[in-house]
Amino acid sequence: QVRLVESGGGLVQPGGSLRLSCAASGSIFSAMGWYRQAPGKQRELVAAITTSGGSTNYADSVKGRFTISRDNARKTLFLQMNSLKPEDTAVYYCNWYPNRPVWGQGTQVTVSS
């Protein structure tokens, strides 16, 4: 079973940037996505990317600010987050798209002044 390990989160001021990474223990040659879960809310899809990386889609709340990318050779998924807002505060997870019941520990992103 492939394990997913997220990293790159942290505390950042509004307007700042972070780059999240997701390292897989095996092949992720499939559509992948970044998801997030804020306190008291359901987990939601933030961004998704096709196997080749040629097509992406984003939640309306992050369009124009976040960019999902991947490196299949390195078995790694990325999420570049710019112009961060307090409402982006959440635990961020990577998973397949559609998601599978094999969640990692996630990485905490906190946007606060």
Side-chain angles (χ1 to χ4, degrees):
Q1 179 170 312
V2 177
R3 291 180 60 240
L4 303 170
V5 180
E6 302 90 346
S7 62
L11 173 63
V12 62
Q13 292 187 340
S17 297
L18 284 173
R19 189 189 195 212
L20 306 185
S21 298
C22 169
S25 62
S27 173
I28 53 169
F29 203 66
S30 181
M32 299 291 294
W34 281 98
Y35 302 78
R36 69 184 180 187
Q37 186 167 23
K41 295 187 177 182
Q42 287 191 330
R43 192 173 289 160
E44 62 174 350
L45 177 68
V46 174
I49 188 167
T50 55
T51 304
S52 67
S55 182
T56 58
N57 65 73
Y58 300 90
D60 288 344
S61 58
V62 306
K63 275 181 184 175
R65 301 188 297 121
F66 290 12
T67 302
I68 187 172
S69 61
R70 65 191 298 161
D71 184 334
N72 288 337
R74 292 169 55 194
K75 296 178 288 185
T76 306
L77 186 71
F78 303 99
L79 185 68
Q80 177 67 44
M81 306 187 297
N82 298 328
S83 303
L84 283 161
K85 304 176 180 180
E87 51 264 44
D88 294 319
T89 295
V91 179
Y92 284 71
Y93 303 86
C94 64
N95 202 311
W96 285 265
Y97 177 74
N99 67 73
R100 301 177 186 177
V102 280
W103 299 95
Q105 85 288 350
T107 186
Q108 175 70 49
V109 172
T110 303
V111 185
S112 174
S113 55

